[in-house]
PDB file of all heavy atoms in Angstrom:
ATOM      1  N   ARG A   1    -177.160   8.398   1.926  1.00 79.00           N
ATOM      2  CA  ARG A   1    -178.414   9.138   1.862  1.00 79.00           C
ATOM      3  C   ARG A   1    -179.187   8.666   0.655  1.00 79.00           C
ATOM      4  O   ARG A   1    -178.662   8.693  -0.465  1.00 79.00           O
ATOM      5  CB  ARG A   1    -178.158  10.643   1.759  1.00 79.00           C
ATOM      6  CG  ARG A   1    -179.406  11.480   1.968  1.00 79.00           C
ATOM      7  CD  ARG A   1    -179.088  12.956   2.023  1.00 79.00           C
ATOM      8  NE  ARG A   1    -180.285  13.744   2.267  1.00 79.00           N
ATOM      9  CZ  ARG A   1    -180.313  15.063   2.286  1.00 79.00           C
ATOM     10  NH1 ARG A   1    -179.189  15.742   2.072  1.00 79.00           N
ATOM     11  NH2 ARG A   1    -181.440  15.711   2.517  1.00 79.00           N
ATOM     12  N   PRO A   2    -180.416   8.220   0.832  1.00 81.00           N
ATOM     13  CA  PRO A   2    -181.198   7.767  -0.328  1.00 81.00           C
ATOM     14  C   PRO A   2    -181.330   8.871  -1.360  1.00 81.00           C
ATOM     15  O   PRO A   2    -181.368  10.066  -1.027  1.00 81.00           O
ATOM     16  CB  PRO A   2    -182.563   7.403   0.285  1.00 81.00           C
ATOM     17  CG  PRO A   2    -182.288   7.191   1.741  1.00 81.00           C
ATOM     18  CD  PRO A   2    -181.158   8.099   2.096  1.00 81.00           C
ATOM     19  N   THR A   3    -181.368   8.479  -2.612  1.00 83.00           N
ATOM     20  CA  THR A   3    -181.469   9.451  -3.700  1.00 83.00           C
ATOM     21  C   THR A   3    -182.594   9.068  -4.650  1.00 83.00           C
ATOM     22  O   THR A   3    -183.036   7.914  -4.684  1.00 83.00           O
ATOM     23  CB  THR A   3    -180.158   9.541  -4.492  1.00 83.00           C
ATOM     24  OG1 THR A   3    -179.864   8.260  -5.064  1.00 83.00           O
ATOM     25  CG2 THR A   3    -179.007   9.982  -3.611  1.00 83.00           C
ATOM     26  N   THR A   4    -183.038  10.046  -5.391  1.00 89.00           N
ATOM     27  CA  THR A   4    -183.968   9.817  -6.489  1.00 89.00           C
ATOM     28  C   THR A   4    -183.355  10.409  -7.747  1.00 89.00           C
ATOM     29  O   THR A   4    -182.493  11.292  -7.677  1.00 89.00           O
ATOM     30  CB  THR A   4    -185.341  10.466  -6.210  1.00 89.00           C
ATOM     31  OG1 THR A   4    -186.251  10.119  -7.252  1.00 89.00           O
ATOM     32  CG2 THR A   4    -185.234  11.976  -6.138  1.00 89.00           C
ATOM     33  N   THR A   5    -183.766   9.903  -8.879  1.00 91.00           N
ATOM     34  CA  THR A   5    -183.170  10.317 -10.151  1.00 91.00           C
ATOM     35  C   THR A   5    -184.158  11.150 -10.956  1.00 91.00           C
ATOM     36  O   THR A   5    -185.350  10.843 -11.007  1.00 91.00           O
ATOM     37  CB  THR A   5    -182.739   9.086 -10.966  1.00 91.00           C
ATOM     38  OG1 THR A   5    -181.778   8.344 -10.214  1.00 91.00           O
ATOM     39  CG2 THR A   5    -182.098   9.501 -12.280  1.00 91.00           C
ATOM     40  N   SER A   6    -183.640  12.193 -11.570  1.00 94.00           N
ATOM     41  CA  SER A   6    -184.448  13.056 -12.422  1.00 94.00           C
ATOM     42  C   SER A   6    -183.647  13.375 -13.681  1.00 94.00           C
ATOM     43  O   SER A   6    -182.419  13.271 -13.689  1.00 94.00           O
ATOM     44  CB  SER A   6    -184.832  14.347 -11.691  1.00 94.00           C
ATOM     45  OG  SER A   6    -185.592  15.203 -12.533  1.00 94.00           O
ATOM     46  N   ILE A   7    -184.352  13.751 -14.730  1.00 95.00           N
ATOM     47  CA  ILE A   7    -183.712  14.161 -15.980  1.00 95.00           C
ATOM     48  C   ILE A   7    -183.717  15.690 -16.034  1.00 95.00           C
ATOM     49  O   ILE A   7    -184.766  16.323 -15.892  1.00 95.00           O
ATOM     50  CB  ILE A   7    -184.437  13.580 -17.207  1.00 95.00           C
ATOM     51  CG1 ILE A   7    -184.436  12.043 -17.128  1.00 95.00           C
ATOM     52  CG2 ILE A   7    -183.751  14.044 -18.487  1.00 95.00           C
ATOM     53  CD1 ILE A   7    -183.062  11.421 -17.095  1.00 95.00           C
ATOM     54  N   GLY A   8    -182.521  16.261 -16.223  1.00 95.00           N
ATOM     55  CA  GLY A   8    -182.394  17.714 -16.241  1.00 95.00           C
ATOM     56  C   GLY A   8    -181.890  18.228 -17.577  1.00 95.00           C
ATOM     57  O   GLY A   8    -181.449  17.468 -18.441  1.00 95.00           O
ATOM     58  N   THR A   9    -181.945  19.533 -17.732  1.00 96.00           N
ATOM     59  CA  THR A   9    -181.481  20.219 -18.937  1.00 96.00           C
ATOM     60  C   THR A   9    -180.463  21.273 -18.543  1.00 96.00           C
ATOM     61  O   THR A   9    -180.702  22.067 -17.631  1.00 96.00           O
ATOM     62  CB  THR A   9    -182.649  20.883 -19.681  1.00 96.00           C
ATOM     63  OG1 THR A   9    -183.625  19.879 -20.013  1.00 96.00           O
ATOM     64  CG2 THR A   9    -182.170  21.549 -20.962  1.00 96.00           C
ATOM     65  N   VAL A  10    -179.342  21.285 -19.245  1.00 95.00           N
ATOM     66  CA  VAL A  10    -178.285  22.257 -18.979  1.00 95.00           C
ATOM     67  C   VAL A  10    -178.660  23.591 -19.624  1.00 95.00           C
ATOM     68  O   VAL A  10    -179.083  23.637 -20.790  1.00 95.00           O
ATOM     69  CB  VAL A  10    -176.933  21.756 -19.518  1.00 95.00           C
ATOM     70  CG1 VAL A  10    -175.838  22.790 -19.271  1.00 95.00           C
ATOM     71  CG2 VAL A  10    -176.566  20.437 -18.870  1.00 95.00           C
ATOM     72  N   LEU A  11    -178.509  24.675 -18.861  1.00 95.00           N
ATOM     73  CA  LEU A  11    -178.818  26.022 -19.346  1.00 95.00           C
ATOM     74  C   LEU A  11    -177.635  26.932 -19.066  1.00 95.00           C
ATOM     75  O   LEU A  11    -177.039  26.880 -17.983  1.00 95.00           O
ATOM     76  CB  LEU A  11    -180.064  26.586 -18.650  1.00 95.00           C
ATOM     77  CG  LEU A  11    -181.361  25.775 -18.781  1.00 95.00           C
ATOM     78  CD1 LEU A  11    -182.430  26.378 -17.892  1.00 95.00           C
ATOM     79  CD2 LEU A  11    -181.826  25.744 -20.219  1.00 95.00           C
ATOM     80  N   ALA A  12    -177.288  27.757 -20.043  1.00 94.00           N
ATOM     81  CA  ALA A  12    -176.245  28.757 -19.821  1.00 94.00           C
ATOM     82  C   ALA A  12    -176.744  29.797 -18.835  1.00 94.00           C
ATOM     83  O   ALA A  12    -177.947  30.075 -18.733  1.00 94.00           O
ATOM     84  CB  ALA A  12    -175.860  29.409 -21.139  1.00 94.00           C
ATOM     85  N   LEU A  13    -175.814  30.398 -18.096  1.00 93.00           N
ATOM     86  CA  LEU A  13    -176.208  31.437 -17.151  1.00 93.00           C
ATOM     87  C   LEU A  13    -176.861  32.604 -17.872  1.00 93.00           C
ATOM     88  O   LEU A  13    -177.786  33.231 -17.345  1.00 93.00           O
ATOM     89  CB  LEU A  13    -174.988  31.916 -16.365  1.00 93.00           C
ATOM     90  CG  LEU A  13    -174.294  30.877 -15.467  1.00 93.00           C
ATOM     91  CD1 LEU A  13    -173.198  31.538 -14.656  1.00 93.00           C
ATOM     92  CD2 LEU A  13    -175.284  30.178 -14.552  1.00 93.00           C
ATOM     93  N   ASN A  14    -176.366  32.928 -19.065  1.00 93.00           N
ATOM     94  CA  ASN A  14    -176.955  33.970 -19.899  1.00 93.00           C
ATOM     95  C   ASN A  14    -177.275  33.362 -21.256  1.00 93.00           C
ATOM     96  O   ASN A  14    -176.385  32.811 -21.916  1.00 93.00           O
ATOM     97  CB  ASN A  14    -175.990  35.149 -20.079  1.00 93.00           C
ATOM     98  CG  ASN A  14    -175.714  35.860 -18.771  1.00 93.00           C
ATOM     99  OD1 ASN A  14    -176.629  36.289 -18.089  1.00 93.00           O
ATOM    100  ND2 ASN A  14    -174.443  35.969 -18.409  1.00 93.00           N
ATOM    101  N   SER A  15    -178.510  33.434 -21.644  1.00 92.00           N
ATOM    102  CA  SER A  15    -178.931  32.846 -22.919  1.00 92.00           C
ATOM    103  C   SER A  15    -180.138  33.612 -23.441  1.00 92.00           C
ATOM    104  O   SER A  15    -181.126  33.797 -22.716  1.00 92.00           O
ATOM    105  CB  SER A  15    -179.280  31.371 -22.728  1.00 92.00           C
ATOM    106  OG  SER A  15    -179.786  30.811 -23.918  1.00 92.00           O
ATOM    107  N   ILE A  16    -180.050  34.085 -24.683  1.00 93.00           N
ATOM    108  CA  ILE A  16    -181.165  34.823 -25.270  1.00 93.00           C
ATOM    109  C   ILE A  16    -181.352  34.427 -26.728  1.00 93.00           C
ATOM    110  O   ILE A  16    -180.434  33.909 -27.369  1.00 93.00           O
ATOM    111  CB  ILE A  16    -180.960  36.354 -25.196  1.00 93.00           C
ATOM    112  CG1 ILE A  16    -179.736  36.760 -26.030  1.00 93.00           C
ATOM    113  CG2 ILE A  16    -180.856  36.830 -23.768  1.00 93.00           C
ATOM    114  CD1 ILE A  16    -179.620  38.251 -26.220  1.00 93.00           C
ATOM    115  N   THR A  17    -182.562  34.675 -27.212  1.00 94.00           N
ATOM    116  CA  THR A  17    -182.840  34.612 -28.638  1.00 94.00           C
ATOM    117  C   THR A  17    -182.855  36.045 -29.152  1.00 94.00           C
ATOM    118  O   THR A  17    -183.667  36.869 -28.716  1.00 94.00           O
ATOM    119  CB  THR A  17    -184.200  33.944 -28.910  1.00 94.00           C
ATOM    120  OG1 THR A  17    -184.155  32.593 -28.424  1.00 94.00           O
ATOM    121  CG2 THR A  17    -184.501  33.924 -30.399  1.00 94.00           C
ATOM    122  N   LEU A  18    -181.953  36.375 -30.059  1.00 94.00           N
ATOM    123  CA  LEU A  18    -181.772  37.745 -30.519  1.00 94.00           C
ATOM    124  C   LEU A  18    -182.818  38.085 -31.587  1.00 94.00           C
ATOM    125  O   LEU A  18    -182.957  37.361 -32.575  1.00 94.00           O
ATOM    126  CB  LEU A  18    -180.358  37.913 -31.079  1.00 94.00           C
ATOM    127  CG  LEU A  18    -179.842  39.338 -31.232  1.00 94.00           C
ATOM    128  CD1 LEU A  18    -179.713  39.992 -29.855  1.00 94.00           C
ATOM    129  CD2 LEU A  18    -178.505  39.336 -31.951  1.00 94.00           C
ATOM    130  N   ARG A  19    -183.547  39.190 -31.379  1.00 94.00           N
ATOM    131  CA  ARG A  19    -184.551  39.667 -32.329  1.00 94.00           C
ATOM    132  C   ARG A  19    -184.384  41.173 -32.528  1.00 94.00           C
ATOM    133  O   ARG A  19    -183.866  41.871 -31.657  1.00 94.00           O
ATOM    134  CB  ARG A  19    -185.974  39.377 -31.829  1.00 94.00           C
ATOM    135  CG  ARG A  19    -186.260  37.899 -31.582  1.00 94.00           C
ATOM    136  CD  ARG A  19    -187.642  37.709 -30.989  1.00 94.00           C
ATOM    137  NE  ARG A  19    -187.897  36.321 -30.630  1.00 94.00           N
ATOM    138  CZ  ARG A  19    -188.398  35.408 -31.444  1.00 94.00           C
ATOM    139  NH1 ARG A  19    -188.735  35.767 -32.688  1.00 94.00           N
ATOM    140  NH2 ARG A  19    -188.593  34.168 -31.052  1.00 94.00           N
ATOM    141  N   ASN A  20    -184.840  41.664 -33.670  1.00 94.00           N
ATOM    142  CA  ASN A  20    -184.816  43.098 -33.919  1.00 94.00           C
ATOM    143  C   ASN A  20    -186.095  43.743 -33.403  1.00 94.00           C
ATOM    144  O   ASN A  20    -187.190  43.203 -33.558  1.00 94.00           O
ATOM    145  CB  ASN A  20    -184.632  43.391 -35.412  1.00 94.00           C
ATOM    146  CG  ASN A  20    -185.742  42.785 -36.248  1.00 94.00           C
ATOM    147  OD1 ASN A  20    -185.999  41.590 -36.169  1.00 94.00           O
ATOM    148  ND2 ASN A  20    -186.400  43.593 -37.050  1.00 94.00           N
ATOM    149  N   GLU A  21    -185.939  44.891 -32.765  1.00 92.00           N
ATOM    150  CA  GLU A  21    -187.100  45.585 -32.208  1.00 92.00           C
ATOM    151  C   GLU A  21    -187.842  46.410 -33.255  1.00 92.00           C
ATOM    152  O   GLU A  21    -189.053  46.637 -33.135  1.00 92.00           O
ATOM    153  CB  GLU A  21    -186.657  46.511 -31.074  1.00 92.00           C
ATOM    154  CG  GLU A  21    -186.044  45.790 -29.893  1.00 92.00           C
ATOM    155  CD  GLU A  21    -185.677  46.762 -28.791  1.00 92.00           C
ATOM    156  OE1 GLU A  21    -186.575  47.296 -28.124  1.00 92.00           O
ATOM    157  OE2 GLU A  21    -184.461  46.996 -28.616  1.00 92.00           O
ATOM    158  N   ILE A  22    -187.121  46.905 -34.271  1.00 93.00           N
ATOM    159  CA  ILE A  22    -187.707  47.794 -35.282  1.00 93.00           C
ATOM    160  C   ILE A  22    -187.457  47.190 -36.658  1.00 93.00           C
ATOM    161  O   ILE A  22    -186.388  46.617 -36.916  1.00 93.00           O
ATOM    162  CB  ILE A  22    -187.074  49.197 -35.200  1.00 93.00           C
ATOM    163  CG1 ILE A  22    -187.311  49.783 -33.807  1.00 93.00           C
ATOM    164  CG2 ILE A  22    -187.644  50.119 -36.264  1.00 93.00           C
ATOM    165  CD1 ILE A  22    -186.658  51.127 -33.606  1.00 93.00           C
ATOM    166  N   ALA A  23    -188.445  47.281 -37.519  1.00 94.00           N
ATOM    167  CA  ALA A  23    -188.300  46.772 -38.882  1.00 94.00           C
ATOM    168  C   ALA A  23    -187.298  47.614 -39.652  1.00 94.00           C
ATOM    169  O   ALA A  23    -187.103  48.807 -39.384  1.00 94.00           O
ATOM    170  CB  ALA A  23    -189.648  46.767 -39.580  1.00 94.00           C
ATOM    171  N   GLY A  24    -186.658  46.979 -40.633  1.00 94.00           N
ATOM    172  CA  GLY A  24    -185.698  47.718 -41.444  1.00 94.00           C
ATOM    173  C   GLY A  24    -184.921  46.804 -42.365  1.00 94.00           C
ATOM    174  O   GLY A  24    -185.078  45.576 -42.350  1.00 94.00           O
ATOM    175  N   THR A  25    -184.068  47.405 -43.185  1.00 95.00           N
ATOM    176  CA  THR A  25    -183.240  46.679 -44.141  1.00 95.00           C
ATOM    177  C   THR A  25    -181.832  46.503 -43.576  1.00 95.00           C
ATOM    178  O   THR A  25    -181.251  47.459 -43.042  1.00 95.00           O
ATOM    179  CB  THR A  25    -183.171  47.435 -45.479  1.00 95.00           C
ATOM    180  OG1 THR A  25    -184.506  47.625 -45.969  1.00 95.00           O
ATOM    181  CG2 THR A  25    -182.368  46.654 -46.502  1.00 95.00           C
ATOM    182  N   VAL A  26    -181.298  45.303 -43.700  1.00 95.00           N
ATOM    183  CA  VAL A  26    -179.981  44.992 -43.134  1.00 95.00           C
ATOM    184  C   VAL A  26    -178.897  45.698 -43.947  1.00 95.00           C
ATOM    185  O   VAL A  26    -178.847  45.584 -45.174  1.00 95.00           O
ATOM    186  CB  VAL A  26    -179.738  43.469 -43.127  1.00 95.00           C
ATOM    187  CG1 VAL A  26    -178.351  43.157 -42.585  1.00 95.00           C
ATOM    188  CG2 VAL A  26    -180.809  42.768 -42.295  1.00 95.00           C
ATOM    189  N   ARG A  27    -178.034  46.421 -43.233  1.00 95.00           N
ATOM    190  CA  ARG A  27    -176.911  47.093 -43.878  1.00 95.00           C
ATOM    191  C   ARG A  27    -175.584  46.434 -43.535  1.00 95.00           C
ATOM    192  O   ARG A  27    -174.640  46.480 -44.305  1.00 95.00           O
ATOM    193  CB  ARG A  27    -176.881  48.566 -43.458  1.00 95.00           C
ATOM    194  CG  ARG A  27    -175.834  49.407 -44.198  1.00 95.00           C
ATOM    195  CD  ARG A  27    -175.915  50.859 -43.789  1.00 95.00           C
ATOM    196  NE  ARG A  27    -175.610  51.032 -42.365  1.00 95.00           N
ATOM    197  CZ  ARG A  27    -175.637  52.221 -41.744  1.00 95.00           C
ATOM    198  NH1 ARG A  27    -175.994  53.305 -42.422  1.00 95.00           N
ATOM    199  NH2 ARG A  27    -175.351  52.311 -40.471  1.00 95.00           N
ATOM    200  N   ARG A  28    -175.532  45.777 -42.364  1.00 95.00           N
ATOM    201  CA  ARG A  28    -174.290  45.138 -41.913  1.00 95.00           C
ATOM    202  C   ARG A  28    -174.627  43.918 -41.072  1.00 95.00           C
ATOM    203  O   ARG A  28    -175.554  43.964 -40.261  1.00 95.00           O
ATOM    204  CB  ARG A  28    -173.456  46.132 -41.099  1.00 95.00           C
ATOM    205  CG  ARG A  28    -172.188  45.544 -40.475  1.00 95.00           C
ATOM    206  CD  ARG A  28    -171.506  46.602 -39.623  1.00 95.00           C
ATOM    207  NE  ARG A  28    -170.427  46.048 -38.839  1.00 95.00           N
ATOM    208  CZ  ARG A  28    -169.785  46.685 -37.873  1.00 95.00           C
ATOM    209  NH1 ARG A  28    -170.132  47.940 -37.578  1.00 95.00           N
ATOM    210  NH2 ARG A  28    -168.805  46.123 -37.203  1.00 95.00           N
ATOM    211  N   VAL A  29    -173.870  42.818 -41.274  1.00 95.00           N
ATOM    212  CA  VAL A  29    -174.084  41.580 -40.521  1.00 95.00           C
ATOM    213  C   VAL A  29    -172.740  41.091 -40.007  1.00 95.00           C
ATOM    214  O   VAL A  29    -171.768  41.006 -40.763  1.00 95.00           O
ATOM    215  CB  VAL A  29    -174.737  40.479 -41.384  1.00 95.00           C
ATOM    216  CG1 VAL A  29    -174.913  39.202 -40.571  1.00 95.00           C
ATOM    217  CG2 VAL A  29    -176.067  40.947 -41.929  1.00 95.00           C
ATOM    218  N   SER A  30    -172.688  40.758 -38.714  1.00 93.00           N
ATOM    219  CA  SER A  30    -171.474  40.183 -38.111  1.00 93.00           C
ATOM    220  C   SER A  30    -171.845  38.959 -37.283  1.00 93.00           C
ATOM    221  O   SER A  30    -171.405  38.809 -36.140  1.00 93.00           O
ATOM    222  CB  SER A  30    -170.766  41.236 -37.246  1.00 93.00           C
ATOM    223  OG  SER A  30    -170.385  42.345 -38.021  1.00 93.00           O
ATOM    224  N   LEU A  31    -172.674  38.102 -37.849  1.00 93.00           N
ATOM    225  CA  LEU A  31    -173.114  36.883 -37.164  1.00 93.00           C
ATOM    226  C   LEU A  31    -172.379  35.692 -37.762  1.00 93.00           C
ATOM    227  O   LEU A  31    -172.731  35.184 -38.827  1.00 93.00           O
ATOM    228  CB  LEU A  31    -174.627  36.696 -37.304  1.00 93.00           C
ATOM    229  CG  LEU A  31    -175.502  37.763 -36.631  1.00 93.00           C
ATOM    230  CD1 LEU A  31    -176.963  37.503 -36.935  1.00 93.00           C
ATOM    231  CD2 LEU A  31    -175.266  37.773 -35.129  1.00 93.00           C
ATOM    232  N   VAL A  32    -171.343  35.239 -37.068  1.00 93.00           N
ATOM    233  CA  VAL A  32    -170.572  34.062 -37.495  1.00 93.00           C
ATOM    234  C   VAL A  32    -170.884  32.939 -36.512  1.00 93.00           C
ATOM    235  O   VAL A  32    -170.524  33.030 -35.327  1.00 93.00           O
ATOM    236  CB  VAL A  32    -169.066  34.355 -37.515  1.00 93.00           C
ATOM    237  CG1 VAL A  32    -168.298  33.115 -37.959  1.00 93.00           C
ATOM    238  CG2 VAL A  32    -168.768  35.530 -38.432  1.00 93.00           C
ATOM    239  N   PRO A  33    -171.577  31.884 -36.935  1.00 93.00           N
ATOM    240  CA  PRO A  33    -171.938  30.802 -36.007  1.00 93.00           C
ATOM    241  C   PRO A  33    -170.707  30.227 -35.306  1.00 93.00           C
ATOM    242  O   PRO A  33    -169.688  29.948 -35.932  1.00 93.00           O
ATOM    243  CB  PRO A  33    -172.592  29.765 -36.919  1.00 93.00           C
ATOM    244  CG  PRO A  33    -173.119  30.557 -38.066  1.00 93.00           C
ATOM    245  CD  PRO A  33    -172.124  31.656 -38.282  1.00 93.00           C
TER     246      PRO A  33
END
């Protein structure tokens, strides 16, 4: 079957950029890369 080639990008099924909804001062952080 003839084919054509394209360049794609891999995406996780679930992926978000985490932001805070309300302003405030940080009291606790548990973000370990």
Side-chain angles (χ1 to χ4, degrees):
R1 192 173 182 184
T3 61
T4 185
T5 300
S6 179
I7 301 300
T9 302
V10 179
L11 302 173
L13 297 186
N14 295 305
S15 175
I16 64 169
T17 298
L18 197 65
R19 301 176 185 272
N20 59 306
E21 297 182 72
I22 301 177
T25 303
V26 178
R27 186 177 63 181
R28 175 184 171 190
V29 179
S30 300
L31 295 176
V32 180

